[in-house]
Structure formats: C-alpha cells, structure tokens
Amino acid sequence: MGIPLLDLKKQYLDLKPEMDAAIAEVMENAAFIGGPKVKALEEAIAAYVGTKHAVACGNGTDALFLIMAALGIGKGDEVITTPFTFFATVEAIVHVGAMPVFVDIEPGTYNMDVSQVEAAITSRTKAILPVHIFGQCVDMDPLLEIAERHGLVVVEDACQAIGATYKGKRAGSLARAAAFSFFPSKNLGCAGDGGIVTTDDEELAVKVRKLAQHGTTKKYFHDTFGVNSRLDALQAAILLAKLPHLDEWNAQRRAAAAVYDDLLADVEGLELPVTRPYGEAVYHLYVVKARDAALAERVMGALKDAGIGTALYYPLALHEQEALAGLPGFVRPSLPVAESCDAATFALPCYPGITEEQQAFVAEVVKKAVRS
Ligand SMILES: *Cc1c(COP(=O)(O)O)cnc(C)c1O
C-alpha cells in the first residue's frame, strides 16, 4: 500500500470538471497576465482572510520580500524571526538588506517562543516576522503587545496557514500584513508558483502592488525600482475553483491529525504535535519529533520501505545554515530547542482524503520501527 506524503493527483481528479472549465475559460479569453481572474482572486482571498486588501504576486517568497520592501525595511535594520521555517522567510529579510535576529521556538508547536522576543529587541529592531509553522498560529496577542510597546511592525508569514484561526480571526488578518504562498503542496495550492499579500493598510497595499510591477502605477513611468512578480490568470482561475473547498480540506486535515494523535499516543521516544486552544490549526504538515536523529532515521527508513511518504521538516535550523554564516555581521545564536529538532522532526502523510486504514497502516509501521 503506497501512501504519498500528499496526494495532489487525487485533489485534481476530485475537481476535474471545475478545474478544466476554469483553465479553458482563461485560454479562450486569452487574458493571461492580470485581468478579471486575478482581480476576482484578490477579492476572494481578502474576503476569506478578512482583510481589506489582497495583492497577488509571483510566489510566497516574493510576497514576504514585497512587504519588507514596501515597509521600508532595509540596511541597518533588524528583523526578529524564527529559525524553524522554510528558508524563504529569512531570504526576504536579507534581500532588503536587513539583518535577521533569531529567537528560539517552543517545543511541541515549533512556533516562535514569544516569551523570548523582548530580550532580542535592540535599537535597530524594526519588525517581527512570526511564521505560523505547519499551519498553527503563533500566539499573536502577547507578540502584538510587545511590538506595540516598542513601536515595531509585525508581519505574518502565513504561507502554511491559510484558513487557520487565532481567537476567531484568520491567519493573514492578525498583523500589519501577511504573506501567503500558493505553491502546489500548500493547503491552497495552484499548478505552479503563486503568492498573495493581505493587509488592511491601503497605503501598504498600493506600495506592494507598485513594487510588484516594476515600480510603476502608470505604464512606462517608473517612480521607484521594483521587480516583476505577477500571478498568472491561469493560476488565479485554478485557485478560484479550489478556494470553496479549502475549509472542508482543512477540516479533513484536522480530523486526520486527531486520528494520528490517538493512534500514536504513548509511543516511547516520539513527541506528537501540540495544539494550543486559542485557535484552529490547519495541519499543513503533521510533524512528529523523534527522541534523536538516529530514531528519526530508523522510523523514516521503515516508512520509506513500506512505500509511505515522509520527509524531515526541517533538517537544519536556519541560524545554522552556511548562508547565514557567510552573512556579514551575523552572530550565530545558541537556540537549543530549534537545534534539538535538527534531523529529528519529520512529517507523516496527513492530507484531505487520507483514509483511517491508511493512517492505521502508517501508525503500525511507525510503532514497529520504534520498537525494533
Ligand atoms: C512555502 C513557504 C514560503 C515560500 O513560498 P513560495 O511560494 O514557495 O515562494 C515561505 N515561508 C514559508 C513558511 C513557507 O512554507
């Protein structure tokens, strides 16, 4: 029984008529860049997330970069973030010329440990960039309170968290601005690259839009230097067809996570993900932590031998990456919780449509490997 880490083909086949019609419509109208589909998607995402504005762009990495650039963050500034995330989070900081400052994470949720943020603030700190890792929101209220007291702007990396809630509000509406990715494997994914910025701040939305289209608001007149970061109409059409299903898919991910929570409770040497009661997580990934890297390797080997998809998230924390060591002025911190995850945290298949039988099989393989 082969079980992938994520079954994207099933998702397409389930929605084939709607998806094919959406794609055909774009082809027939031949409006490939911008146009009504992209505008409709921006409105739909803003309404879904609960912000006044949404600006589509080329990918989630660009969404983060465009926000940083539009906020005027740059050389000499520091941005506090988490070391336990995809590399794009820190690239956005470095590419505007700012310095990333990492704080450690909490065990169990793997989110930024908000209680450590205040000690990391210096006179150069301009922003805080929390990441809702694996689809669970960071504890935003205490973070926003610290930011407010120190006059800092907070930006959400919500790339893994579309649909997740915090005290009744959706990820992407919790701070000044947020970045989402529509990379195919994300909870709402397109058929290529895509991203979007959400914000209530109209001025910021206008700046992001301008920077994403070569620094122009009037064609061939440029008042600043921007980049080319657009969402294709084809991708927008695909996303519009999928969006009405997102809540159901996220509910199925949560249900599958609860099944693993039961099946794998009390497995010696394995730490299950912790969910906080302040909101609903969307389980972009269901990540377990092995006692050590050797056990993770053994369990992952057994999963692979059984035809079950798995991968390390993340094999190496960002503050330990070679790229950071080469960043002039970067001082590598000691972050024991993040470092304890290196090569020890791995994902189990947890996607909409996975069956309880498949999950029972995964759990069997895991338990047997742990005992062996
Ligand atoms: C996927 C992801 C990104 C980058 O998104 P892309 O669309 O691949 O550029 C950024 N941050 C996090 C946390 C992500 O998971």
Side-chain angles (χ1 to χ4, degrees):
M1 176 157 53
I3 305 171
L5 191 54
L6 171 67
D7 195 348
L8 282 178
K9 190 153 177 197
K10 181 187 181 312
Q11 205 179 56
Y12 170 60
L13 293 176
D14 286 351
L15 297 183
K16 194 171 183 328
E18 296 144 80
M19 300 265 279
D20 289 355
I23 292 165
E25 192 189 331
V26 173
M27 296 310 290
E28 279 154 23
N29 292 339
F32 298 120
I33 300 280
K37 286 288 179 197
V38 174
K39 187 161 186 289
L41 180 76
E42 290 180 339
E43 286 168 6
I45 293 291
Y48 180 84
V49 168
T51 55
K52 292 197 184 109
H53 308 278
V55 182
C57 62
N59 52 67
T61 308
D62 282 359
L64 287 165
F65 166 79
L66 290 164
I67 295 168
M68 290 288 136
L71 287 169
I73 290 164
K75 220 173 158 52
D77 297 337
E78 290 176 358
V79 178
I80 296 172
T81 192
T82 167
F84 197 70
T85 173
F86 180 58
F87 193 56
T89 313
V90 73
E91 278 178 309
I93 298 168
V94 171
H95 283 323
V96 295
M99 180 61 74
V101 174
F102 296 104
V103 297
D104 210 348
I105 57 171
E106 322 174 307
T109 69
Y110 308 103
N111 268 327
M112 168 187 269
D113 184 345
V114 173
S115 72
Q116 298 193 24
V117 167
E118 193 144 28
I121 295 172
T122 73
S123 58
R124 294 169 165 239
T125 309
K126 284 283 149 52
I128 307 172
L129 179 48
V131 181
H132 306 311
I133 204 71
F134 306 144
Q136 175 167 218
C137 288
V138 170
D139 193 3
M140 292 299 285
D141 277 354
L143 188 66
L144 291 166
E145 188 272 319
I146 293 165
E148 167 126 45
R149 222 162 357 93
H150 292 269
L152 307 176
V153 49
V154 180
V155 174
E156 300 166 75
D157 180 338
C159 287
Q160 300 186 2
I162 193 159
T165 59
Y166 178 77
K167 301 184 180 174
K169 288 175 75 183
R170 284 215 167 106
S173 70
L174 305 171
R176 177 78 74 87
F180 287 97
S181 164
F182 300 127
F183 185 78
S185 67
K186 299 289 156 84
N187 290 32
L188 180 65
C190 60
D193 276 311
I196 205 162
V197 171
T198 55
T199 182
D200 278 333
D201 181 338
E202 179 165 9
E203 202 182 320
L204 187 67
V206 168
K207 275 191 193 156
V208 165
R209 195 178 292 286
K210 187 199 282 191
L211 286 171
Q213 45 194 28
H214 302 288
T216 175
T217 40
K218 187 177 161 202
K219 208 168 183 185
Y220 302 122
F221 293 85
H222 307 267
D223 38 276
T224 187
F225 293 95
V227 294
N228 173 13
S229 185
R230 303 185 278 232
L231 184 72
D232 296 338
L234 271 171
Q235 304 302 352
I238 287 167
L239 291 163
L240 280 166
K242 284 183 160 193
L243 182 59
H245 304 276
L246 178 61
D247 285 343
E248 171 59 25
W249 289 335
N250 281 341
Q252 288 180 27
R253 285 173 183 269
R254 264 193 300 280
V259 168
Y260 280 136
D261 285 346
D262 272 354
L263 291 171
L264 298 172
D266 316 315
V267 176
E268 194 80 39
L270 221 55
E271 214 180 294
L272 303 186
V274 170
T275 38
R276 299 264 178 250
Y278 53 56
E280 272 191 320
V282 292
Y283 291 92
H284 171 59
L285 292 166
Y286 186 92
V287 171
V288 298
K289 183 179 179 187
R291 184 200 313 122
D292 51 36
L295 180 61
E297 197 180 335
R298 193 162 88 227
V299 176
M300 290 177 73
L303 288 167
K304 283 174 189 159
D305 288 345
I308 297 167
T310 184
L312 288 170
Y313 290 93
Y314 290 91
L316 186 65
L318 297 192
H319 65 292
E320 303 173 275
Q321 299 278 346
E322 206 177 316
L324 272 298
L327 183 67
F330 179 73
V331 182
R332 178 173 154 173
S334 166
L335 305 173
V337 182
E339 287 159 27
S340 76
C341 295
D342 290 346
T345 44
F346 59 97
L348 300 178
C350 182
Y351 52 83
I354 192 169
T355 65
E356 289 200 28
E357 276 129 36
Q358 289 175 313
Q359 292 192 267
F361 178 60
V362 172
E364 265 327 295
V365 173
V366 168
K367 284 185 191 166
K368 214 172 130 199
V370 168
R371 282 195 304 262
S372 68

